Amino acid sequence: MNRSNFWNRVRFGGGVGLGFTNGGFNGSISPSAIYQFNDQFASGLSLNFNYAKFNDDKLLAYGGSVLSLYNPIPYLQLSAELEQLRINREFDDGTFRLEDNYWSPALFLGVGYTDRNFTLGIRYDVLYDDEKSIHANAWMPFVRVFF
């Protein structure tokens, strides 16, 4: 395979998120790149960065993931994503301060409706831990866009 053919099969995408609440802010960015092996299978890497501040509590999460996408039929996408995040949390209620730093793995299995470069679906974290995960629960909707 020549070099130009390789780059014609690479697709870029990712996600951006912003959230504002009374006393809080959450921002995230996750650029991704995948290699489209054929019409059915693609695989790639993603970087993840998330910052949240609610009153005096703070969270910083960063890391990466490996993503595989499979389209058994044109409008159905199955996905698997292994993610590893470094979590740095600070809790402060005015009298007590707690700092917590640890690694948090996740294994997302997902299904989605796809049309060209856009996918809308839901994924489930089979390694979900309600005390360590930065997500509210194991089920999460997602939107993927690759160009």
Side-chain angles (χ1 to χ4, degrees):
M1 177 182 313
N2 66 31
R3 218 177 143 131
S4 64
N5 194 24
F6 173 84
W7 288 108
N8 289 336
R9 294 179 171 267
V10 174
R11 297 171 48 201
F12 296 96
V16 176
L18 284 175
F20 299 93
T21 62
N22 189 15
F25 166 79
N26 184 323
S28 65
I29 186 165
S30 58
S32 302
I34 60 171
Y35 182 81
Q36 192 73 47
F37 291 97
N38 55 41
D39 289 341
Q40 292 181 301
F41 183 71
S43 187
L45 301 172
S46 181
L47 296 175
N48 304 292
F49 178 81
N50 190 320
Y51 175 78
K53 183 173 184 332
F54 301 100
N55 298 321
D56 292 328
D57 300 336
K58 296 177 187 172
L59 171 108
L60 177 63
Y62 55 91
S65 63
V66 177
L67 174 68
S68 292
L69 308 173
Y70 176 65
N71 294 79
I73 59 176
Y75 295 102
L76 177 67
Q77 185 178 87
L78 305 176
S79 61
E81 182 175 7
L82 180 61
E83 177 182 80
Q84 183 73 21
L85 295 179
R86 179 66 179 174
I87 311 294
N88 300 314
R89 299 192 296 187
E90 293 179 21
F91 302 101
D92 191 347
D93 67 1
T95 59
F96 182 72
R97 180 183 165 108
L98 173 68
E99 290 188 25
D100 199 9
N101 301 303
Y102 57 93
W103 287 99
S104 177
L107 176 58
F108 298 105
L109 301 178
V111 61
Y113 170 79
T114 188
D115 188 10
R116 291 178 288 235
N117 61 343
F118 175 83
T119 305
L120 176 65
I122 191 158
R123 64 186 189 167
Y124 181 78
D125 181 3
V126 298
L127 301 178
Y128 181 77
D129 179 343
D130 62 351
E131 293 184 18
K132 297 288 186 176
S133 177
I134 65 168
H135 306 292
N137 64 54
W139 290 99
M140 286 171 275
F142 69 85
V143 174
R144 278 193 197 102
V145 179
F146 283 101
F147 301 98

